[in-house]
């Protein structure tokens, strides 16, 4: 026995597409909405609907626990979120309304468990969104009555096409950044760096740490292998938890370029601080 | 059992890694690279207990030839081999499995208790069962994994394309019961290559023939291989002999001088292995991070990024030209 599709959550959102071979995302002017719906197949559907044509242009199936929304702090202009699937490299970018937190939390809750009823905390919206017991299709937008046209116009959903993502060539490799040619001159120009690195060296070296040992390590196949491993691991986009141990934001663990951007940020921050 | 489920990490096939494993097992043997099979090179390394031939067939080279099709070699399967032979049941464990097949056939082998017990426990088992028992041995797996990068960043299970580091195949050649045997964990039985002469080079002469014939079945340039020698650790006897000479007042003659050079070479090789092993066991993430931050502070990170992007584009263009799939980043 299957029920007619039931909308769990819907809100206005636009789209953007990743420019091939880059990390740039170009906004698309189409007006749309994200609709989370429990379909006739009992599965959770993530749908993007074009509000001008009425067409359902994207229809993704999400399994509970499979996906979550993560805010991208450095995306310029809008409130941009990544819809991340834990089961693949696929990433979808969405922008939410200015009640970001609430929507994201509810969206996460719904994605985790479609049978839970999201509760809205607002004066303007009349009632909570319906749970799945509601029959009949419902595609009303959930944005509160007070949303301005400007805000509506600003909403963009960034959805990335599947094919484009999986055939992506790597932009650059950490192995080409941490080359001896790039690193060794640093030891000459910034000799204070050498002792600062000693705590990061293996504790069981056969000879005590020194500039020469550092040089041998940087040029060793074991170190280069470790850089290569880390580079590959970053490409999976799943190192958010790991990079926090380095004092970096979770976003830094989503790719090589993201990691490098975060490093650049971190180095600026450290200059302003006293380090011991 | 898949590599991911097995808990065995892929190790490098490096003499330093093998020798460290032997040390952990309490076995007074070492493994050395063999650069040649000529009599003089091998004589310098005697007594050699086993040869380990590790190789990789390069996929661009067409169909891999089947060495067993080369006739007249006198090689035969020995299904009734009474010694130690184990099947390879986990690919990542291949290096340690080869070592076990060698160690299990060395008479009167000195070793620590765990290995003695494992060898005794598996006596009389068929090859498949023996392989499973070895693979399930926790202490052996831990000894094996001790020389792989810490699992903080384990790439198993992420479905990443494999790099060229894996997929080496290991074959052991050694004497047993008067014949030269071949132990290949992926074959049903040990292979007996026939009897050898005791005098002169002994079993090595026969083994050389067999290995060279094996290599010759592959078209030139289609095989990536290494040869390793499992041999007695020379340090104790070198040191003992030098001490003898010095105590007899002959510390300055030519034999002593030669010994001192040999000892110096051997010790510097051990130090290099110890250095490389310490790097292998280490989690380099802190160092990687600190270097990148230092580069950023010195204003060098941005130029490095530009350079890296260019290099990657050139690399991709070169690959497209050659029509090759995959990408090795240390080109």
């Amino acid at each position: 026995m299957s029920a007619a599709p039931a909308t769990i959550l819907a809100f206005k959102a636009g789209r953007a597409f990743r420019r091939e071979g880059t990390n740039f995302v170009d906004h698309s002017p189409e007006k749309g909405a994200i609709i989370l719906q429990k379909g006739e197949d009992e599965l959770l559907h993530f749908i993007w609907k074009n509000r001008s044509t009425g067409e359902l242009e994207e229809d993704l199936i999400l399994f509970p626990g499979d996906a979550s929304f993560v805010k991208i702090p450095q995306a310029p202009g809008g409130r941009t979120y990544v819809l991340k699937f834990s089961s693949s490299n696929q990433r979808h970018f969405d922008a939410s309304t200015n009640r970001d937190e609430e929507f994201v939390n509810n969206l996460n809750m719904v994605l985790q468990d479609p049978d839970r009823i999201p509760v809205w905390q607002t004066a303007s919206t009349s009632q909570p969104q319906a749970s799945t017991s509601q029959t009949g299709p419902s595609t009303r937008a959930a944005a509160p009555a007070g949303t301005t046209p400007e805000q509506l116009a600003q909403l963009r959903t960034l959805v990335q096409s599947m094919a484009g993502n999986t055939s992506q060539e790597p932009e650059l490799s950490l192995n080409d950044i941490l080359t001896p040619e790039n690193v060794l001159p640093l030891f000459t120009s910034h000799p204070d760096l050498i002792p600062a690195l000693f705590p990061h060296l293996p504790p069981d070296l056969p000879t005590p740490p020194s500039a020469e040992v550092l040089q041998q390590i940087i040029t060793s196949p074991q170190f280069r292998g470790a850089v290569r491993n880390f580079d590959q691991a970053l490409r999976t986009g799943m190192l958010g938890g790991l990079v926090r141990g380095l004092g970096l934001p979770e976003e830094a663990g989503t790719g090589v370029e993201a990691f490098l951007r975060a490093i650049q940020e971190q180095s600026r921050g450290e200059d302003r601080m006293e380090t011991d | 059992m898949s590599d991911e489920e097995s808990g065995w990490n892929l190790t490098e096939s490096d003499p330093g890694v093998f020798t460290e494993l032997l040390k952990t097992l309490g076995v007074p043997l070492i493994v050395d690279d063999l650069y040649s099979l000529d009599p003089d090179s091998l004589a310098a390394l005697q007594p050699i207990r086993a040869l380990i031939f590790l190789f990789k067939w390069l996929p661009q080279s067409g169909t891999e030839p089947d060495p067993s099709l080369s006739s007249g070699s006198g090689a035969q399967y020995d299904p009734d081999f009474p010694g130690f032979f184990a099947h390879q049941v986990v690919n990542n464990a291949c290096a340690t499995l080869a070592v076990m097949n060698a160690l299990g056939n060395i008479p009167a082998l000195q070793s620590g208790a765990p290995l003695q017990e494992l060898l005794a426990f598996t006596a009389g088992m068929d090859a498949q069962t023996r392989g499973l028992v070895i693979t399930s041995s926790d202490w052996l797996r831990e000894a094996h994994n001790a020389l792989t990068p810490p699992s903080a960043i384990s790439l198993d299970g992420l479905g990443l394309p494999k790099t060229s580091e894996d997929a080496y195949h290991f074959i052991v050649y050694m004497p047993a019961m008067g014949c030269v045997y071949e132990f290949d964990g992926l074959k049903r039985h040990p292979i007996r290559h026939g009897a050898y002469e005791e005098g002169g080079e002994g079993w090595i002469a026969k083994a050389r023939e067999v290995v060279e014939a094996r290599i010759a079945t592959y078209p030139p340039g289609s095989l990536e291989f290494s040869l390793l020698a499992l041999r007695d650790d020379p340090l104790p006897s070198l040191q003992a002999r030098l001490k003898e000479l010095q105590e007899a007042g002959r510390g300055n003659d030519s034999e002593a001088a030669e010994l001192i050079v040999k000892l110096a070479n051997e010790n510097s090789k051990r130090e290099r292995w110890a250095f490389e092993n310490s790097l292998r066991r280490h989690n380099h993430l802190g160092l990687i991070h600190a270097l990148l931050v230092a580069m950023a502070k010195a204003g060098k990170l941005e130029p490095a990024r530009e350079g890296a992007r260019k290099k990657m584009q050139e690399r991709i263009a070169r690959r497209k030209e050659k029509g090759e799939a995959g990408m090795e980043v240390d080109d």
Side-chain angles (χ1 to χ4, degrees):
Chain A
M1 165 169 81
S2 60
T7 296
I8 300 168
L9 182 66
F11 54 92
K12 288 177 185 172
R15 258 195 318 191
F17 296 89
R18 185 189 277 221
R19 211 186 288 175
E20 214 180 276
T22 73
N23 276 330
F24 291 101
V25 176
D26 296 314
H27 294 235
S28 163
E30 300 155 299
K31 295 182 183 168
I34 288 176
I35 300 166
L36 269 188
Q37 209 176 63
K38 197 161 183 187
E40 278 172 286
D41 50 8
E42 303 281 47
L43 297 172
L44 184 62
H45 290 249
F46 181 102
I47 292 166
W48 190 85
K49 175 177 157 176
N50 187 321
R51 285 187 293 121
S52 308
T53 66
E55 266 206 276
L56 303 183
E57 293 188 17
E58 290 281 335
D59 187 352
L60 303 167
I61 293 186
L62 304 177
F63 293 96
D66 189 28
S68 59
F69 260 58
V70 176
K71 186 164 188 167
I72 302 177
Q74 57 262 58
R79 267 96 37 206
T80 309
Y81 294 84
V82 179
L83 175 64
K84 282 166 86 166
F85 293 94
S86 58
S87 56
S88 79
N89 274 338
Q90 230 189 308
R91 272 185 248 152
H92 296 260
F93 297 91
D94 299 279
S96 178
T97 70
N98 61 352
R99 281 159 61 232
D100 289 350
E101 292 274 67
E102 192 170 342
F103 269 106
V104 170
N105 287 340
N106 278 314
L107 192 59
N108 264 340
M109 189 167 71
V110 169
L111 289 171
Q112 289 303 315
D113 184 359
D115 292 324
R116 281 177 71 182
I117 306 166
V119 176
W120 303 108
Q121 188 75 287
T122 172
S124 39
T125 307
S126 46
Q127 72 250 23
Q129 291 303 305
S131 71
T132 54
S133 62
Q134 181 187 346
T135 54
S138 163
T139 57
R140 67 183 183 285
T147 309
T148 66
E150 287 80 13
Q151 287 168 330
L152 288 178
Q154 265 174 29
L155 294 177
R156 301 272 188 260
T157 303
L158 311 175
V159 178
Q160 173 141 21
S161 64
M162 282 179 76
N165 208 12
T166 51
S167 65
Q168 197 84 144
E169 295 277 23
E171 296 254 316
L172 57 79
S173 158
L174 279 181
N175 285 82
D176 293 327
I177 292 190
L178 286 171
T179 60
E181 299 75 47
N182 285 341
V183 173
L184 297 182
L186 265 186
F187 297 153
T188 324
S189 62
H190 296 70
D192 285 349
L193 177 60
I194 297 173
L197 293 175
F198 288 173
H200 298 294
L201 302 185
D204 58 351
L205 286 170
T207 54
S210 67
E212 199 191 321
V213 168
L214 250 180
Q215 209 166 325
Q216 287 172 337
I217 292 178
I218 304 292
T219 52
S220 74
Q222 290 76 31
F223 178 71
R224 298 195 62 68
V227 174
R228 190 170 40 242
N229 269 8
F230 183 56
D231 180 87
Q232 282 204 295
L234 270 176
R235 302 236 182 104
T236 66
M238 300 200 283
L239 295 191
L242 185 80
V243 299
R244 281 203 293 184
L246 301 171
L248 296 168
E250 236 182 78
E251 233 291 306
T254 60
V256 178
E257 292 274 24
F259 186 71
L260 293 175
R261 275 197 298 271
I263 296 270
Q264 202 79 61
E265 268 303 308
Q266 194 179 48
S267 70
R268 281 197 275 272
E270 277 186 18
D271 277 339
R272 289 197 286 273
M273 283 164 44
E274 207 76 65
T275 50
D276 41 66
Chain B
M1 192 192 298
S2 77
D3 283 328
E4 280 103 61
E5 299 164 330
S6 69
W8 289 76
N9 301 340
L10 188 65
T11 52
E12 282 178 65
S13 319
D14 181 89
V17 172
F18 279 110
T19 302
E20 189 65 24
L21 177 68
L22 292 170
K23 209 189 322 181
T24 311
L25 298 175
V27 170
L29 304 176
I30 67 167
V31 170
D32 264 323
D33 271 319
L34 270 179
Y35 298 105
S36 149
L37 281 175
D38 73 71
D40 291 334
S41 306
L42 293 180
L45 302 176
Q46 289 280 28
I48 299 178
R49 303 297 186 160
L51 294 180
I52 303 178
F53 176 52
L54 56 139
F55 67 97
K56 185 169 57 170
W57 167 252
L58 302 175
Q60 296 101 298
S61 320
T63 341
E64 185 172 4
D66 184 354
S68 64
L69 294 177
S70 61
S71 56
S73 59
Q76 285 183 320
Y77 277 117
D78 186 355
D80 302 314
F81 179 68
F84 185 98
F85 178 60
H87 281 166
Q88 180 179 307
V89 299
V90 168
N91 287 339
N92 281 359
C94 51
T96 296
L97 183 94
V99 168
M100 289 298 293
N101 274 334
L103 296 180
N105 290 299
I106 295 177
L109 175 76
Q110 245 187 289
S111 83
L115 180 59
Q116 293 291 355
E117 282 160 22
L118 184 59
L119 292 175
F121 182 69
T122 57
M125 287 182 179
D126 66 274
Q128 184 69 10
T129 310
R130 218 186 249 114
L132 288 168
V133 169
I134 289 175
T135 309
S136 339
S137 162
D138 288 337
W139 68 267
L140 186 62
R141 189 189 64 238
E142 279 162 22
H144 167 102
N145 286 344
L147 281 155
T148 61
S151 59
I153 309 182
S154 162
L155 297 179
D156 278 340
L158 293 180
L160 292 172
K162 295 281 188 188
T163 65
S164 66
E165 260 192 37
D166 55 2
Y168 269 101
H169 188 41
F170 288 77
I171 299 184
V172 173
Y173 295 94
M174 62 188 290
M177 303 170 326
C179 290
V180 168
Y181 270 86
E182 174 183 327
F183 299 118
D184 177 346
L186 292 180
K187 295 225 159 87
R188 283 185 65 76
H189 307 295
I191 295 172
R192 185 175 59 233
H193 283 280
Y196 59 88
E197 301 285 324
E198 277 292 350
E201 282 191 293
W203 71 277
I204 289 280
K206 179 104 190 126
R208 177 191 296 115
E209 265 171 45
V210 172
V211 174
E212 285 177 350
R214 175 78 186 238
I215 293 174
T217 65
Y218 291 84
S222 67
L223 202 66
E224 229 177 77
F225 70 89
S226 280
L227 276 166
L228 303 173
L230 178 67
R231 57 186 283 235
D232 287 4
D233 184 351
L235 273 182
S237 50
L238 287 174
Q239 285 158 344
R241 178 68 185 143
L242 182 62
K243 187 153 175 254
E244 234 174 34
L245 290 175
Q246 285 165 338
E247 279 167 3
R250 292 175 51 206
N252 288 324
D253 76 5
S254 61
E255 188 190 342
E258 224 181 87
L259 284 172
I260 290 176
V261 169
K262 278 192 184 156
L263 273 168
N265 287 341
E266 196 63 34
N267 280 324
S268 87
K269 182 178 70 181
R270 305 301 168 98
E271 197 178 292
R272 182 168 50 85
W273 284 349
F275 175 71
E276 290 168 357
N277 284 339
S278 116
L279 293 185
R280 282 180 185 107
R281 285 184 284 247
H282 185 62
N283 182 343
H284 294 270
L285 188 55
L287 180 59
I288 290 172
H289 176 242
L291 284 172
L292 290 172
V293 170
M295 282 176 78
K297 282 193 191 168
K300 299 282 191 311
L301 187 57
E302 201 39 54
R305 271 166 89 167
E306 280 311 308
R309 269 193 212 109
K310 277 205 196 85
K311 266 194 196 170
M312 184 57 85
Q313 280 163 3
E314 287 165 16
R315 196 177 285 127
I316 292 174
R318 274 207 304 277
R319 290 277 158 174
K320 287 209 167 111
E321 239 173 87
K322 288 190 204 166
E324 278 164 26
M327 182 105 58
E328 291 303 325
V329 182
D330 273 325
D331 284 356

